[in-house]
Amino acid sequence: MKHNKKVNHLGRKTAHRTSMLANMATSLIMHKRIATTTAKAKALKVFVEPLITKSKDDTTTSRRVVFSKLRNKEAVTELFREISQKVANRPGGYTRILRTGFRQGDAAEMCIIELVDYNENMLKETAAKKTTRTRRSKKAAPKAEAPVAEAPAAEEKAAE
């Protein structure tokens, strides 16, 4: 049973796990999407989302806290300069995990973890979905206009 087991240790000691997550977070920030196993992606999501939230507040303290976790100047600069601007109005949920199947060698479940605001294909789909019309408004408009338009035409024919 998995009661009170909040951290997935990923079969590694603490120092190895934190270094691996820092490296994966750096790669995610620099490349906007990476391919990994599902277990590592779930652990990375818990690791990187608080850092992105922290980057919204661009202060020296928040930069130092993020740098202590990432340990990479270029990644911190990228996070505070570009990513924080793009996710400024998003209340959370900065990453998306897309399952891609199983690895051939050991059948581990693979996935792609990406930053939500950087996938143009998904952004186009959500924009297309917003333009749907409801059935009720479509039927209500023609019924109100149709009898008014037909009534004057019938009166004109009767007058002739």
Side-chain angles (χ1 to χ4, degrees), residues 51-64:
L51 298 180
I52 296 173
T53 302
K54 182 81 65 182
S55 73
K56 289 181 177 183
D57 181 30
D58 191 3
T59 61
T60 305
T61 306
S62 62
R63 280 185 180 263
R64 285 179 176 169

Side-chain angles (χ1 to χ4, degrees), residues 89-147:
N89 57 356
R90 183 178 287 276
Y94 311 110
T95 58
R96 176 186 298 127
I97 296 176
L98 302 169
R99 291 172 185 6
T100 58
F102 297 94
R103 188 162 50 197
Q104 191 170 5
D106 60 353
E109 188 175 4
M110 298 298 288
C111 69
I112 293 172
I113 183 168
E114 64 184 6
L115 295 175
V116 172
D117 292 322
Y118 283 91
N119 189 343
E120 291 81 18
N121 295 331
M122 291 290 218
L123 292 174
K124 289 177 187 174
E125 288 178 18
T126 57
K129 288 180 182 178
K130 288 181 182 177
T131 60
T132 59
R133 297 188 325 211
T134 60
R135 189 171 198 170
R136 186 179 312 138
S137 63
K138 190 173 166 183
K139 283 186 173 180
K143 282 184 180 178
E145 295 174 11

Side-chain angles (χ1 to χ4, degrees), residues 47-100:
F47 182 84
V48 79
E49 290 211 0
L51 298 180
I52 296 173
T53 302
K54 182 81 65 182
S55 73
K56 289 181 177 183
D57 181 30
D58 191 3
T59 61
T60 305
T61 306
S62 62
R63 280 185 180 263
R64 285 179 176 169
V65 168
V66 170
F67 180 75
S68 72
K69 301 284 187 191
L70 289 181
R71 298 182 227 139
N72 188 327
K73 278 189 208 177
E74 292 81 19
V76 172
T77 304
E78 176 83 12
L79 179 63
F80 277 86
R81 192 168 286 160
E82 293 183 19
I83 295 173
S84 65
Q85 302 299 321
K86 208 153 194 183
V87 299
N89 57 356
R90 183 178 287 276
Y94 311 110
T95 58
R96 176 186 298 127
I97 296 176
L98 302 169
R99 291 172 185 6
T100 58

